[in-house]
Amino acid sequence: MKPILFLDPVFKQMIWGGNRLRGQFGYEIPGEDTGECWAVSAHPNGDCVVREGMYTGEKLSELWKSHRELFGNSDLDRFPLLVKIIDAKDDLSIQVHPDDAYAREHENGSLGKTECWYILDCPEDAALVIGHNAASRQELEEMIRQGRWSELIRQIPVKKGDFIQIDPGTVHAIKGGMMILETQQNSDITYRVYDYDRLTGGKPRQLHVEQSIDVITVPAASAAESVKPAADLPKNTMNELITCDYYRVWKLETDQPFSFEQSHPFLIMSVTEGAGTINGHPIKKGEHFILPDGFGSVKLEGKMQLIASSIR
Ligand code: ZN
């Protein structure tokens, strides 16, 4: 019988962070400017540790190296996914990520970054920055170099329960007030296009203008293609939100006992609302765990909302 791998998150203080990871999720956060909870991560910048059971104290990156059978004997060179909860008290910088090919060449063999967002909470009339309004690369470059941000940046209205896929090359920014569950490739490569001229310790954060101009997709995908409403999906079933080259993501809401077979190389689950049990083990909002390969039957009981992911 393979164990459920419960993980302890790693927290990141950010210029734009807040304290809702404590207020809404009950985490012990390091400060009132905590922006990110790295909930399932084997990245060197925040490697989660197993909380209980036979692998207590082991880092996810170590388990990936020494117990690959837990992950379906995948031949990938690192744990492929990273799941975060983001508390944006303030606007995040406007940014873009490279794809694998660009990152391999320019970022020391790192992976590129495809990511997706499930909006856990947001203000009324919220909007995200997704895409841009430049018609050609030349126009994009002019708008960036001349700082014509309001012309360049495209804002799209969103609401709680929306799901957004952010492919490499997509200009994007999370806006103040949002709480988001992010599922992404295991990479930390971000090119900052614009940071609202904010200062940290008296200095602006570094921008990556040349790299951004290199990697931004022109023209941007349409606004309609970018946002998928996922607040009211059928209950007690795995609702697939996305399948792409790097991950699959599902949303599951339970209000009665729900059983399924864990048939993926591994399955990450994050409880984002409610409380209940998994195969009799209590779980609640804010907990994240991995069901290993060959885990078999899973029985969830309770009233919960979960976001799950795997590589296929
Ligand atoms: Zn991003």
Side-chain angles (χ1 to χ4, degrees):
M1 184 68 191
K2 288 184 177 165
I4 303 174
L5 304 172
F6 284 95
L7 297 168
D8 271 336
V10 174
F11 296 95
K12 302 278 178 182
Q13 289 171 274
M14 299 286 183
I15 181 178
W16 43 261
N19 58 23
R20 286 181 296 175
L21 288 166
R22 180 177 58 225
Q24 293 201 18
F25 281 85
Y27 298 126
E28 273 179 48
I29 54 173
E32 302 304 303
D33 57 351
T34 303
E36 297 188 349
C37 161
W38 289 26
V40 180
S41 165
H43 194 282
N45 295 350
D47 203 348
C48 294
V49 169
V50 177
R51 191 184 75 190
E52 60 181 71
M54 63 193 287
Y55 300 114
T56 298
E58 291 217 45
K59 290 179 174 166
L60 184 53
S61 66
E62 289 165 357
L63 278 188
W64 179 261
K65 276 199 210 103
S66 58
H67 288 284
R68 196 66 64 88
E69 74 281 0
L70 295 170
F71 311 97
N73 292 311
S74 164
D75 57 6
L76 298 170
D77 69 345
R78 66 202 96 181
F79 186 76
L81 301 181
L82 206 169
V83 174
K84 295 178 185 176
I85 298 179
I86 294 173
D87 172 14
K89 185 179 171 200
D90 234 322
D91 296 350
L92 273 71
S93 62
I94 292 171
Q95 51 186 249
V96 62
H97 305 296
D99 62 15
D100 285 346
Y102 191 92
R104 196 178 303 121
E105 190 179 332
H106 298 272
E107 301 293 346
N108 217 0
S110 177
L111 294 177
K113 187 164 159 187
T114 301
E115 67 189 39
C116 61
W117 301 336
Y118 181 84
I119 301 182
L120 298 169
D121 197 11
C122 69
E124 294 279 317
D125 306 319
L128 287 168
V129 173
I130 307 165
H132 61 81
N133 298 314
S136 67
R137 193 160 300 277
Q138 192 193 342
E139 190 181 22
L140 174 84
E141 187 168 351
E142 283 171 15
M143 285 175 161
I144 290 177
R145 294 204 193 283
Q146 296 166 8
R148 287 152 57 198
W149 306 115
S150 57
E151 276 175 83
L152 176 69
I153 297 310
R154 187 177 71 190
Q155 299 214 33
I156 295 182
V158 290
K159 54 192 185 311
K160 184 172 170 167
D162 280 349
F163 176 80
I164 299 114
Q165 168 83 346
I166 305 285
D167 287 320
T170 305
V171 174
H172 61 282
I174 297 173
K175 307 279 285 178
M178 304 229 158
M179 287 199 88
I180 282 178
L181 183 135
E182 180 176 84
T183 305
Q184 57 162 94
Q185 275 180 281
N186 180 2
S187 161
D188 207 13
I189 306 291
T190 293
Y191 298 141
R192 208 172 279 133
V193 185
Y194 176 54
D195 198 27
Y196 309 97
D197 303 314
R198 286 182 291 200
L199 303 178
T200 312
K203 282 185 283 189
R205 293 195 293 177
Q206 190 191 0
L207 300 181
H208 310 89
V209 171
E210 304 309 322
Q211 294 97 322
S212 299
I213 292 169
D214 278 351
V215 306
I216 290 172
T217 303
V218 187
S222 78
E225 281 172 77
S226 305
V227 179
K228 171 181 175 162
D232 296 307
L233 299 174
K235 291 195 166 70
N236 307 304
T237 184
M238 290 285 224
N239 296 289
E240 187 177 280
L241 298 176
I242 186 86
T243 296
C244 69
D245 289 345
Y246 301 103
Y247 47 71
R248 293 176 74 182
V249 177
W250 299 266
K251 181 186 174 190
L252 169 63
E253 259 184 286
T254 61
D255 62 3
Q256 60 188 56
F258 170 68
S259 298
F260 67 100
E261 282 292 310
Q262 199 308 73
S263 57
H264 306 282
F266 58 88
L267 187 69
I268 296 171
M269 300 193 92
S270 298
V271 185
T272 52
E273 289 289 347
T277 58
I278 179 164
N279 293 5
H281 186 298
I283 50 174
K284 63 176 194 301
K285 177 173 178 172
E287 291 187 314
H288 309 264
F289 50 88
I290 300 173
L291 302 178
D293 184 48
F295 185 82
S297 320
V298 182
K299 186 175 186 190
L300 295 167
E301 291 181 275
K303 219 173 150 159
M304 293 184 282
Q305 174 185 275
L306 301 102
I307 303 291
S309 55
S310 188
I311 46 177
R312 57 187 152 80

PDB file of all heavy atoms in Angstrom, residues 36 84 86 92-93 95-97 113-117 166 170-174 182 184 189-191, ligand 1:
ATOM      1  N   GLU A  36       3.182  34.123  -1.828  1.00  0.00           N
ATOM      2  CA  GLU A  36       3.060  32.804  -2.451  1.00  0.00           C
ATOM      3  C   GLU A  36       3.232  31.690  -1.432  1.00  0.00           C
ATOM      4  O   GLU A  36       4.104  31.744  -0.579  1.00  0.00           O
ATOM      5  CB  GLU A  36       4.123  32.628  -3.557  1.00  0.00           C
ATOM      6  CG  GLU A  36       3.945  33.625  -4.697  1.00  0.00           C
ATOM      7  CD  GLU A  36       4.864  33.343  -5.882  1.00  0.00           C
ATOM      8  OE1 GLU A  36       5.786  32.509  -5.752  1.00  0.00           O
ATOM      9  OE2 GLU A  36       4.648  33.968  -6.938  1.00  0.00           O
ATOM     10  N   LYS A  84       1.059  26.416  -6.674  1.00  0.00           N
ATOM     11  CA  LYS A  84       1.167  27.536  -5.734  1.00  0.00           C
ATOM     12  C   LYS A  84      -0.219  28.073  -5.419  1.00  0.00           C
ATOM     13  O   LYS A  84      -1.112  28.009  -6.253  1.00  0.00           O
ATOM     14  CB  LYS A  84       1.896  28.732  -6.373  1.00  0.00           C
ATOM     15  CG  LYS A  84       3.318  28.544  -6.731  1.00  0.00           C
ATOM     16  CD  LYS A  84       3.831  29.837  -7.397  1.00  0.00           C
ATOM     17  CE  LYS A  84       5.250  29.657  -7.887  1.00  0.00           C
ATOM     18  NZ  LYS A  84       5.724  30.860  -8.614  1.00  0.00           N
ATOM     19  N   ILE A  86      -1.522  31.885  -4.579  1.00  0.00           N
ATOM     20  CA  ILE A  86      -1.015  33.251  -4.649  1.00  0.00           C
ATOM     21  C   ILE A  86      -2.011  34.191  -3.983  1.00  0.00           C
ATOM     22  O   ILE A  86      -3.205  34.155  -4.293  1.00  0.00           O
ATOM     23  CB  ILE A  86      -0.796  33.640  -6.127  1.00  0.00           C
ATOM     24  CG1 ILE A  86       0.323  32.772  -6.696  1.00  0.00           C
ATOM     25  CG2 ILE A  86      -0.489  35.131  -6.267  1.00  0.00           C
ATOM     26  CD1 ILE A  86       0.534  32.936  -8.185  1.00  0.00           C
ATOM     27  N   LEU A  92       0.669  42.386  -9.350  1.00  0.00           N
ATOM     28  CA  LEU A  92       1.970  41.804  -9.697  1.00  0.00           C
ATOM     29  C   LEU A  92       2.514  42.509 -10.932  1.00  0.00           C
ATOM     30  O   LEU A  92       1.760  43.105 -11.704  1.00  0.00           O
ATOM     31  CB  LEU A  92       1.845  40.304 -10.008  1.00  0.00           C
ATOM     32  CG  LEU A  92       1.932  39.366  -8.804  1.00  0.00           C
ATOM     33  CD1 LEU A  92       0.681  39.491  -7.950  1.00  0.00           C
ATOM     34  CD2 LEU A  92       2.132  37.927  -9.242  1.00  0.00           C
ATOM     35  N   SER A  93       3.826  42.403 -11.111  1.00  0.00           N
ATOM     36  CA  SER A  93       4.424  43.000 -12.303  1.00  0.00           C
ATOM     37  C   SER A  93       3.857  42.345 -13.554  1.00  0.00           C
ATOM     38  O   SER A  93       3.381  41.209 -13.519  1.00  0.00           O
ATOM     39  CB  SER A  93       5.940  42.837 -12.271  1.00  0.00           C
ATOM     40  OG  SER A  93       6.272  41.481 -12.275  1.00  0.00           O
ATOM     41  N   GLN A  95       4.330  40.499 -16.821  1.00  0.00           N
ATOM     42  CA  GLN A  95       5.416  39.575 -17.122  1.00  0.00           C
ATOM     43  C   GLN A  95       5.080  38.620 -18.258  1.00  0.00           C
ATOM     44  O   GLN A  95       3.933  38.557 -18.717  1.00  0.00           O
ATOM     45  CB  GLN A  95       5.787  38.794 -15.867  1.00  0.00           C
ATOM     46  CG  GLN A  95       4.586  38.157 -15.176  1.00  0.00           C
ATOM     47  CD  GLN A  95       4.977  37.504 -13.861  1.00  0.00           C
ATOM     48  OE1 GLN A  95       4.958  36.280 -13.743  1.00  0.00           O
ATOM     49  NE2 GLN A  95       5.334  38.314 -12.870  1.00  0.00           N
ATOM     50  N   VAL A  96       6.097  37.873 -18.653  1.00  0.00           N
ATOM     51  CA  VAL A  96       5.933  36.870 -19.699  1.00  0.00           C
ATOM     52  C   VAL A  96       6.965  35.769 -19.426  1.00  0.00           C
ATOM     53  O   VAL A  96       8.013  36.036 -18.827  1.00  0.00           O
ATOM     54  CB  VAL A  96       6.117  37.507 -21.100  1.00  0.00           C
ATOM     55  CG1 VAL A  96       7.529  38.080 -21.278  1.00  0.00           C
ATOM     56  CG2 VAL A  96       5.785  36.545 -22.214  1.00  0.00           C
ATOM     57  N   HIS A  97       6.635  34.540 -19.810  1.00  0.00           N
ATOM     58  CA  HIS A  97       7.573  33.428 -19.618  1.00  0.00           C
ATOM     59  C   HIS A  97       8.023  32.894 -20.971  1.00  0.00           C
ATOM     60  O   HIS A  97       7.253  32.881 -21.928  1.00  0.00           O
ATOM     61  CB  HIS A  97       6.916  32.291 -18.840  1.00  0.00           C
ATOM     62  CG  HIS A  97       6.340  32.732 -17.541  1.00  0.00           C
ATOM     63  ND1 HIS A  97       7.113  33.218 -16.513  1.00  0.00           N
ATOM     64  CD2 HIS A  97       5.063  32.779 -17.102  1.00  0.00           C
ATOM     65  CE1 HIS A  97       6.323  33.538 -15.499  1.00  0.00           C
ATOM     66  NE2 HIS A  97       5.079  33.291 -15.831  1.00  0.00           N
ATOM     67  N   LYS A 113       8.065  28.030 -19.088  1.00  0.00           N
ATOM     68  CA  LYS A 113       6.976  27.995 -18.121  1.00  0.00           C
ATOM     69  C   LYS A 113       5.634  28.186 -18.812  1.00  0.00           C
ATOM     70  O   LYS A 113       5.360  29.226 -19.395  1.00  0.00           O
ATOM     71  CB  LYS A 113       7.206  29.079 -17.067  1.00  0.00           C
ATOM     72  CG  LYS A 113       6.240  29.055 -15.909  1.00  0.00           C
ATOM     73  CD  LYS A 113       6.809  29.889 -14.766  1.00  0.00           C
ATOM     74  CE  LYS A 113       5.751  30.335 -13.795  1.00  0.00           C
ATOM     75  NZ  LYS A 113       6.295  31.273 -12.791  1.00  0.00           N
ATOM     76  N   THR A 114       4.823  27.138 -18.731  1.00  0.00           N
ATOM     77  CA  THR A 114       3.405  27.217 -19.045  1.00  0.00           C
ATOM     78  C   THR A 114       2.703  27.131 -17.702  1.00  0.00           C
ATOM     79  O   THR A 114       3.105  26.334 -16.849  1.00  0.00           O
ATOM     80  CB  THR A 114       2.985  26.036 -19.942  1.00  0.00           C
ATOM     81  OG1 THR A 114       3.752  26.063 -21.148  1.00  0.00           O
ATOM     82  CG2 THR A 114       1.509  26.105 -20.301  1.00  0.00           C
ATOM     83  N   GLU A 115       1.696  27.957 -17.496  1.00  0.00           N
ATOM     84  CA  GLU A 115       1.021  27.953 -16.199  1.00  0.00           C
ATOM     85  C   GLU A 115      -0.470  28.138 -16.415  1.00  0.00           C
ATOM     86  O   GLU A 115      -0.914  28.542 -17.495  1.00  0.00           O
ATOM     87  CB  GLU A 115       1.565  29.065 -15.296  1.00  0.00           C
ATOM     88  CG  GLU A 115       1.245  30.463 -15.785  1.00  0.00           C
ATOM     89  CD  GLU A 115       1.997  31.547 -14.991  1.00  0.00           C
ATOM     90  OE1 GLU A 115       3.168  31.346 -14.652  1.00  0.00           O
ATOM     91  OE2 GLU A 115       1.391  32.600 -14.746  1.00  0.00           O
ATOM     92  N   CYS A 116      -1.245  27.818 -15.364  1.00  0.00           N
ATOM     93  CA  CYS A 116      -2.686  28.081 -15.442  1.00  0.00           C
ATOM     94  C   CYS A 116      -3.187  28.478 -14.068  1.00  0.00           C
ATOM     95  O   CYS A 116      -2.590  28.137 -13.053  1.00  0.00           O
ATOM     96  CB  CYS A 116      -3.422  26.868 -15.986  1.00  0.00           C
ATOM     97  SG  CYS A 116      -3.262  25.387 -14.988  1.00  0.00           S
ATOM     98  N   TRP A 117      -4.279  29.204 -14.062  1.00  0.00           N
ATOM     99  CA  TRP A 117      -4.813  29.794 -12.833  1.00  0.00           C
ATOM    100  C   TRP A 117      -6.256  29.383 -12.618  1.00  0.00           C
ATOM    101  O   TRP A 117      -7.070  29.467 -13.533  1.00  0.00           O
ATOM    102  CB  TRP A 117      -4.799  31.328 -12.921  1.00  0.00           C
ATOM    103  CG  TRP A 117      -3.469  31.954 -13.152  1.00  0.00           C
ATOM    104  CD1 TRP A 117      -2.233  31.445 -12.860  1.00  0.00           C
ATOM    105  CD2 TRP A 117      -3.225  33.249 -13.738  1.00  0.00           C
ATOM    106  NE1 TRP A 117      -1.264  32.344 -13.217  1.00  0.00           N
ATOM    107  CE2 TRP A 117      -1.843  33.456 -13.757  1.00  0.00           C
ATOM    108  CE3 TRP A 117      -4.071  34.253 -14.236  1.00  0.00           C
ATOM    109  CZ2 TRP A 117      -1.252  34.618 -14.264  1.00  0.00           C
ATOM    110  CZ3 TRP A 117      -3.497  35.414 -14.735  1.00  0.00           C
ATOM    111  CH2 TRP A 117      -2.106  35.593 -14.745  1.00  0.00           C
ATOM    112  N   ILE A 166      -2.171  30.088 -19.314  1.00  0.00           N
ATOM    113  CA  ILE A 166      -1.196  31.091 -19.747  1.00  0.00           C
ATOM    114  C   ILE A 166      -0.054  30.364 -20.469  1.00  0.00           C
ATOM    115  O   ILE A 166       0.844  29.807 -19.828  1.00  0.00           O
ATOM    116  CB  ILE A 166      -0.619  31.877 -18.542  1.00  0.00           C
ATOM    117  CG1 ILE A 166      -1.729  32.506 -17.701  1.00  0.00           C
ATOM    118  CG2 ILE A 166       0.388  32.924 -19.024  1.00  0.00           C
ATOM    119  CD1 ILE A 166      -2.380  33.726 -18.291  1.00  0.00           C
ATOM    120  N   THR A 170       2.706  34.675 -23.452  1.00  0.00           N
ATOM    121  CA  THR A 170       1.509  35.454 -23.122  1.00  0.00           C
ATOM    122  C   THR A 170       1.846  36.504 -22.065  1.00  0.00           C
ATOM    123  O   THR A 170       2.271  36.156 -20.958  1.00  0.00           O
ATOM    124  CB  THR A 170       0.403  34.536 -22.542  1.00  0.00           C
ATOM    125  OG1 THR A 170       0.157  33.475 -23.469  1.00  0.00           O
ATOM    126  CG2 THR A 170      -0.877  35.305 -22.295  1.00  0.00           C
ATOM    127  N   VAL A 171       1.635  37.763 -22.388  1.00  0.00           N
ATOM    128  CA  VAL A 171       1.797  38.831 -21.396  1.00  0.00           C
ATOM    129  C   VAL A 171       0.710  38.652 -20.340  1.00  0.00           C
ATOM    130  O   VAL A 171      -0.452  38.432 -20.685  1.00  0.00           O
ATOM    131  CB  VAL A 171       1.643  40.207 -22.071  1.00  0.00           C
ATOM    132  CG1 VAL A 171       1.669  41.321 -21.036  1.00  0.00           C
ATOM    133  CG2 VAL A 171       2.728  40.416 -23.125  1.00  0.00           C
ATOM    134  N   HIS A 172       1.085  38.703 -19.054  1.00  0.00           N
ATOM    135  CA  HIS A 172       0.071  38.495 -18.025  1.00  0.00           C
ATOM    136  C   HIS A 172       0.440  39.156 -16.713  1.00  0.00           C
ATOM    137  O   HIS A 172       1.611  39.400 -16.440  1.00  0.00           O
ATOM    138  CB  HIS A 172      -0.165  36.991 -17.786  1.00  0.00           C
ATOM    139  CG  HIS A 172       1.045  36.250 -17.324  1.00  0.00           C
ATOM    140  ND1 HIS A 172       2.059  35.861 -18.164  1.00  0.00           N
ATOM    141  CD2 HIS A 172       1.416  35.812 -16.096  1.00  0.00           C
ATOM    142  CE1 HIS A 172       2.982  35.217 -17.486  1.00  0.00           C
ATOM    143  NE2 HIS A 172       2.634  35.172 -16.226  1.00  0.00           N
ATOM    144  N   ALA A 173      -0.585  39.442 -15.928  1.00  0.00           N
ATOM    145  CA  ALA A 173      -0.367  39.938 -14.572  1.00  0.00           C
ATOM    146  C   ALA A 173      -1.605  39.688 -13.738  1.00  0.00           C
ATOM    147  O   ALA A 173      -2.730  39.897 -14.183  1.00  0.00           O
ATOM    148  CB  ALA A 173      -0.057  41.436 -14.583  1.00  0.00           C
ATOM    149  N   ILE A 174      -1.335  39.220 -12.524  1.00  0.00           N
ATOM    150  CA  ILE A 174      -2.389  39.073 -11.523  1.00  0.00           C
ATOM    151  C   ILE A 174      -2.573  40.440 -10.877  1.00  0.00           C
ATOM    152  O   ILE A 174      -1.596  41.136 -10.591  1.00  0.00           O
ATOM    153  CB  ILE A 174      -1.980  37.998 -10.493  1.00  0.00           C
ATOM    154  CG1 ILE A 174      -1.852  36.640 -11.198  1.00  0.00           C
ATOM    155  CG2 ILE A 174      -2.970  37.946  -9.346  1.00  0.00           C
ATOM    156  CD1 ILE A 174      -1.291  35.534 -10.320  1.00  0.00           C
ATOM    157  N   GLU A 182      -2.329  28.268  -8.719  1.00  0.00           N
ATOM    158  CA  GLU A 182      -1.578  28.189  -9.970  1.00  0.00           C
ATOM    159  C   GLU A 182      -0.947  26.808 -10.100  1.00  0.00           C
ATOM    160  O   GLU A 182      -0.312  26.327  -9.175  1.00  0.00           O
ATOM    161  CB  GLU A 182      -0.476  29.260  -9.973  1.00  0.00           C
ATOM    162  CG  GLU A 182       0.373  29.261 -11.221  1.00  0.00           C
ATOM    163  CD  GLU A 182       1.391  30.401 -11.229  1.00  0.00           C
ATOM    164  OE1 GLU A 182       2.476  30.238 -10.637  1.00  0.00           O
ATOM    165  OE2 GLU A 182       1.087  31.456 -11.799  1.00  0.00           O
ATOM    166  N   GLN A 184       1.725  24.921 -12.627  1.00  0.00           N
ATOM    167  CA  GLN A 184       2.690  25.356 -13.637  1.00  0.00           C
ATOM    168  C   GLN A 184       3.793  24.327 -13.828  1.00  0.00           C
ATOM    169  O   GLN A 184       3.956  23.426 -13.016  1.00  0.00           O
ATOM    170  CB  GLN A 184       3.305  26.688 -13.219  1.00  0.00           C
ATOM    171  CG  GLN A 184       3.979  26.619 -11.850  1.00  0.00           C
ATOM    172  CD  GLN A 184       4.936  27.764 -11.606  1.00  0.00           C
ATOM    173  OE1 GLN A 184       4.573  28.775 -11.020  1.00  0.00           O
ATOM    174  NE2 GLN A 184       6.172  27.585 -12.039  1.00  0.00           N
ATOM    175  N   ILE A 189      11.413  30.884 -14.221  1.00  0.00           N
ATOM    176  CA  ILE A 189      11.931  31.876 -15.168  1.00  0.00           C
ATOM    177  C   ILE A 189      10.826  32.841 -15.575  1.00  0.00           C
ATOM    178  O   ILE A 189       9.865  32.467 -16.240  1.00  0.00           O
ATOM    179  CB  ILE A 189      12.503  31.208 -16.442  1.00  0.00           C
ATOM    180  CG1 ILE A 189      13.536  30.146 -16.081  1.00  0.00           C
ATOM    181  CG2 ILE A 189      13.090  32.276 -17.361  1.00  0.00           C
ATOM    182  CD1 ILE A 189      14.820  30.672 -15.511  1.00  0.00           C
ATOM    183  N   THR A 190      10.979  34.084 -15.145  1.00  0.00           N
ATOM    184  CA  THR A 190       9.998  35.127 -15.432  1.00  0.00           C
ATOM    185  C   THR A 190      10.712  36.327 -16.015  1.00  0.00           C
ATOM    186  O   THR A 190      11.735  36.756 -15.484  1.00  0.00           O
ATOM    187  CB  THR A 190       9.288  35.551 -14.123  1.00  0.00           C
ATOM    188  OG1 THR A 190       8.504  34.447 -13.666  1.00  0.00           O
ATOM    189  CG2 THR A 190       8.381  36.749 -14.346  1.00  0.00           C
ATOM    190  N   TYR A 191      10.182  36.859 -17.097  1.00  0.00           N
ATOM    191  CA  TYR A 191      10.689  38.110 -17.644  1.00  0.00           C
ATOM    192  C   TYR A 191       9.701  39.211 -17.291  1.00  0.00           C
ATOM    193  O   TYR A 191       8.530  39.150 -17.661  1.00  0.00           O
ATOM    194  CB  TYR A 191      10.868  38.015 -19.165  1.00  0.00           C
ATOM    195  CG  TYR A 191      11.877  36.959 -19.581  1.00  0.00           C
ATOM    196  CD1 TYR A 191      11.656  36.163 -20.691  1.00  0.00           C
ATOM    197  CD2 TYR A 191      13.042  36.772 -18.850  1.00  0.00           C
ATOM    198  CE1 TYR A 191      12.575  35.198 -21.071  1.00  0.00           C
ATOM    199  CE2 TYR A 191      13.966  35.812 -19.216  1.00  0.00           C
ATOM    200  CZ  TYR A 191      13.728  35.022 -20.326  1.00  0.00           C
ATOM    201  OH  TYR A 191      14.630  34.065 -20.692  1.00  0.00           O
TER     202      TYR A 191
HETATM  203 ZN    ZN B   1       3.468  33.871 -14.724  1.00  0.00          ZN
END
